[in-house]
Each structure stands twice: as structure tokens, then as C-alpha cells.
Amino acid sequence: MSAKTNAKKEQAPCPYAKKCGGCQLMNMTYPEQLSWKTARCIRLLGRFCRVEEITGMQNPVHYRNKVQAAFQLTRSGKIVSGVYQSGTHNVVNVNSCLTEDKKADEITVYIRSLLPRFKILPYNEDSRAGFLRHVLVRRGFSTGEIMVVFVGANPRFPMKNRITDALVEKFPEITTVVFNINPHKTSMVLGERSEVLYGRGYIEDTLCGCTFRISPSSFYQINPVQTEILYNTAISFANLGKDSTVIDAYCGTGTIGIAAARHAGSVTGVELNGDAVKDAVFNAKRNKIENIAFVKADAGEFMLEAARQGEKADVVFMDPPRAGSDKKFLSSLVTLAPQTVVYISCNPETLARDLAFLTKNGYKVRKIQPVDMFPFTNHIECVTLLTRK
Ligand code: SAH
């Protein structure tokens, strides 16, 4: 084999890349991916402020602490499990994914091998026959606790206790097993109902010195190593003081606000999803943080009301979904006029749009720090510091 073909081989480190299509930057080396991401941020955001070089990972593989394997029966009657081929509902049979936690993949492959013995068939979305839709595995990066969730299409899970015993015997690191029932015709993985088969029904992880509960459906950043860097960057940009009044908007399970509360006077977290708010309240108690409260509301409505009431905030953290923020939120933010805004964004395009509004309305962008949360994919996370002009 020539040196040239060898080099090519090194550049495609994943045997599923062609079939799967999930990692858009698979044909680049990691340093090339980082340069590509920094360049993209400069192109989209450079007009607001100097963009720092992206903070990459030392070891950019197997970083996902949440793995959702879909199960399917092939035409020839073989059970496959793994990821959907990009843009389809065909499952690519994956034994080990470059981005996923290794142990989580071992567990799903083992479950695949157990199914015939327990006479369990994957669910078929068209005929609605069969049972097993997905297996979700979540791992606490620093605690090592592992949760396995079987997602079935109906409540009849044959031999659920025996399969749980077999699983826990093989992988003693598994601390909880949950059965979730999802009877709906939907691309959502989880249904509303769950039954705990083993353990506590949740796992815990620590981030920035705080402990967080992760339930089957909790939102929790999927790359714990980089999340810590992301949150620490956001908190250091905020330059908090013991008297600072802080709003953590789009707070999810309260992670940023809880980590920030120890450096601040008081924090209010705002989140639309009721389950996330419950987790946030629990997480605050779990960490004995008393200067934080959570409100279940649309972040824009909350800000509008706060502006109307003439309330004050020194620092606003905002971490909206990919679609970015909205006019209601941004214009109320301008009325509320906090000295400091720290915008955490997972989409530089909507970030650029929102920064254009804020910089026209009294704010100046001081720092932009991209952080690589999703190596091999084209996703980019940025922390931006704005202060009043
Ligand atoms: N800051 C958290 C979560 C970020 S994800 C973390 O780092 O883990 C974005 C969050 O915004 C989600 O939890 C989502 O439920 C919430 N969200 C989406 N639209 C919202 C809205 N209009 N008002 C308040 N929260 C919203």
C-alpha cells in the first residue's frame, strides 16, 4: 500500500461514515475541524468583535455521554441497532461510534445480542408490530453511574426483570434501569410513562463542583468535559460580585445558574419546560444553594414582565435553543438594561442576528469565545460577552 492511500485511510477514522452521514466533518483532521469552526465564527461574527480561537478537546473522541440506539429488524430477519442514516429512518448497525461513550455502545451491542434469547423483536414503525424502539444509555462522566432506558412501543415487556438481571450482571456499572413506554407515532424517543426496573430511576453527575440529577428525559449537555469549560467561560465573562442580581434565561435544569449562584447575590432561572424546572429546583436543593429561584415561563414573557415592573438585573445569562432568542426577549432585555449579558449560543447564525439587534440597542460585544462541544460534526457553540456602551 502506498503512503498516499495510508494517509487517506487515517483521515476516515469511522467505518460507518459513508452510510451514517451524522458527522459532517469526518473527512477533516481534528486541527482542520477546529480551524474550520474558528473561520466560520469569524465569518459570521467577526464584524462584532475579535473572535478567539475555538477551545478544542484534548481527546476529541467518544465524548457523548448520552447514546440513543434505534432498533430495527432487517428484511433478512437480522436485528440491527445504532443510528438512523442521515435524513432517513434506516438504522445503520453500529458497534462503536467515534463520538459515543464506549461503554454505552458496549451495552447497546450486548442488549442487541440478548434479544433473541428473550424473544424480543424490534418495533416496526410501519406495521406497528414488535416491541423495542430504542435503548437510551446515559453516563455520569465524573460519577461513573450508568442509566439504561428500554423504550418499548407498548406496556407488555416480556421478561423485563430477567433481562435487567442479565444486563446488570454483565455490567455492574449500571446503577439504574428504566422501562419507558412510547406508543405514539412520533420521532421523539421517549414517551410520557416510565417504570423503574432497577435502582433509583436517575443518575447523578458533577459539573463545576455541583451535583446534578439526570432523569431519562432531563436536558443535560452531552459533552461533560467541554461543558465545564463552557460554563466556566460564561461565569468568568459575567464577572460576578457578591451583590450581583442575575437572571439565567433558558436555564434548562438550572446548571449555569446553580454554578454561578455561589459567586452572586441572587439568581432567577427561567425555563419553559416544566419537567426541567422541577429538576432545577431539585438540583438547587441537592447542592444546598439557597439564593436561587426558578420560574416556569416563556423567557420573553418573563423579561417583558420584569421590564414592566421596573425590576433590576446586573447580569443576564441567556442560552436559547438553535432558533436563538426572539424580539420580545431582546427588546425587554434592552429595557431591563443589565450592565452585562452573557449569551451562550449553539448556532452562530442566529447569534449573529441577535447580536445585530443588541448592538443597535445600547450594547457592545466585548468577547467571543467558541468552544468545541461536538467534534466531527459541524455544530459550533459560542460564549459571547456584551456590556452596555
Ligand atoms: N442552559 C441550559 C439549557 C440550554 S437548552 C443548559 O446549559 O443545560 C435551551 C433551553 O431553553 C431548553 O431547556 C428549552 O426547554 C428552553 N426554552 C426553549 N424555548 C424557551 C422559551 N421560549 N422560554 C424559556 N425557555 C425556553
Side-chain angles (χ1 to χ4, degrees):
M1 199 184 283
S2 73
K4 214 173 174 186
T5 47
N6 254 335
K8 261 226 159 106
K9 260 205 156 157
E10 260 172 35
Q11 283 192 3
C14 170
Y16 312 104
K18 262 207 178 133
K19 264 192 165 172
C20 164
C23 291
Q24 303 83 356
L25 308 188
M26 186 54 79
N27 57 355
M28 295 184 194
T29 64
Y30 191 53
E32 283 167 359
Q33 294 174 32
L34 293 176
S35 311
W36 183 88
K37 290 185 181 186
T38 304
R40 185 165 159 73
C41 287
I42 293 172
R43 195 162 69 245
L44 290 165
L45 307 166
R47 68 192 148 111
F48 299 108
C49 167
R50 185 189 129 83
V51 176
E52 297 298 324
E53 225 171 87
I54 192 165
T55 309
M57 293 189 79
Q58 251 169 22
N59 185 14
V61 291
H62 303 294
Y63 57 85
R64 284 188 72 100
N65 62 355
K66 173 181 168 184
V67 169
Q68 305 180 22
F71 281 73
Q72 214 165 57
L73 195 64
T74 64
R75 285 214 188 99
S76 58
K78 197 178 138 207
I79 296 174
V80 292
S81 71
V83 292
Y84 290 120
Q85 185 174 20
S86 193
T88 75
H89 263 207
N90 298 327
V91 172
V92 182
N93 199 33
V94 171
N95 291 332
S96 176
C97 163
L98 200 62
T99 68
E100 292 174 352
D101 183 79
K102 272 188 183 163
K103 187 59 78 177
D105 281 350
E106 272 177 44
I107 290 170
T108 57
V109 169
Y110 182 65
I111 291 172
R112 188 206 292 157
S113 77
L114 282 182
L115 295 184
R117 174 153 43 114
F118 291 95
K119 301 200 167 43
I120 293 171
L121 283 175
Y123 179 66
N124 182 311
E125 286 178 332
D126 299 321
S127 68
R128 313 196 78 173
F131 171 75
L132 186 66
R133 298 177 76 128
H134 284 88
V135 167
L136 164 67
V137 182
R138 304 187 78 164
R139 182 172 194 202
F141 175 72
S142 60
T143 57
E145 296 178 358
I146 295 180
M147 167 166 61
V148 176
V149 184
F150 289 97
V151 185
N154 63 64
R156 292 176 301 279
F157 184 176
M159 295 193 271
K160 57 189 175 191
N161 295 324
R162 281 181 54 198
I163 197 167
T164 299
D165 290 346
L167 196 57
V168 175
E169 193 183 336
K170 172 90 174 168
F171 297 98
E173 311 91 314
I174 296 174
T175 52
T176 191
V177 179
V178 176
F179 169 35
N180 177 275
I181 301 140
N182 186 356
H184 307 297
K185 200 169 164 53
T186 170
S187 53
M188 299 271 285
V189 172
L190 294 175
E192 300 89 18
R193 269 197 297 157
S194 281
E195 176 192 344
V196 177
L197 301 178
Y198 173 77
R200 300 185 291 188
Y202 61 89
I203 54 168
E204 289 188 329
D205 196 19
T206 61
L207 261 187
C208 303
C210 301
T211 303
F212 296 102
R213 173 193 279 204
I214 306 170
S215 307
S217 63
S218 302
F219 180 87
Y220 190 73
Q221 296 282 358
I222 54 100
N223 183 337
V225 173
Q226 296 299 92
T227 299
E228 195 144 63
I229 294 173
L230 184 79
Y231 288 176
N232 284 336
T233 304
I235 291 167
S236 82
F237 279 9
N239 195 19
L240 298 165
K242 278 288 163 207
D243 300 323
S244 306
T245 304
V246 177
I247 293 172
D248 177 12
Y250 310 90
C251 71
T253 53
T255 38
I256 296 174
I258 289 170
R262 287 176 301 177
H263 313 281
S266 66
V267 181
T268 307
V270 188
E271 164 62 46
L272 197 55
N273 179 317
D275 288 334
V277 173
K278 279 188 198 143
D279 283 341
V281 169
F282 176 89
N283 284 331
K285 280 207 187 108
R286 174 75 179 75
N287 291 286
K288 301 193 171 63
I289 305 273
E290 286 172 352
N291 58 341
I292 192 163
F294 294 96
V295 179
K296 177 187 174 305
D298 170 78
E301 288 291 338
F302 174 87
M303 292 299 277
L304 192 65
E305 200 45 41
R308 272 197 200 127
Q309 308 264 340
E311 285 181 24
K312 291 229 157 12
D314 302 306
V315 177
V316 172
F317 290 102
M318 53 185 290
D319 184 9
R322 287 184 59 75
S325 193
D326 55 25
K327 270 276 143 63
K328 199 193 285 173
F329 183 95
L330 294 171
S331 53
S332 312
L333 180 70
V334 168
T335 310
L336 207 63
Q339 179 58 30
T340 304
V341 176
V342 180
Y343 191 145
I344 299 130
S345 157
C346 55
N347 183 350
E349 285 176 7
T350 55
L351 175 63
R353 181 199 66 202
D354 293 348
L355 292 183
F357 179 87
L358 291 172
T359 49
K360 276 193 205 102
N361 289 279
Y363 283 90
K364 188 163 168 47
V365 178
R366 309 286 172 178
K367 284 183 196 166
I368 300 177
Q369 177 65 63
V371 177
D372 192 23
M373 303 282 283
F374 313 103
F376 295 99
T377 77
N378 59 3
H379 295 285
I380 306 175
E381 193 92 10
C382 283
V383 189
T384 300
L385 169 67
L386 301 105
T387 60
R388 287 189 66 76
K389 275 180 195 157

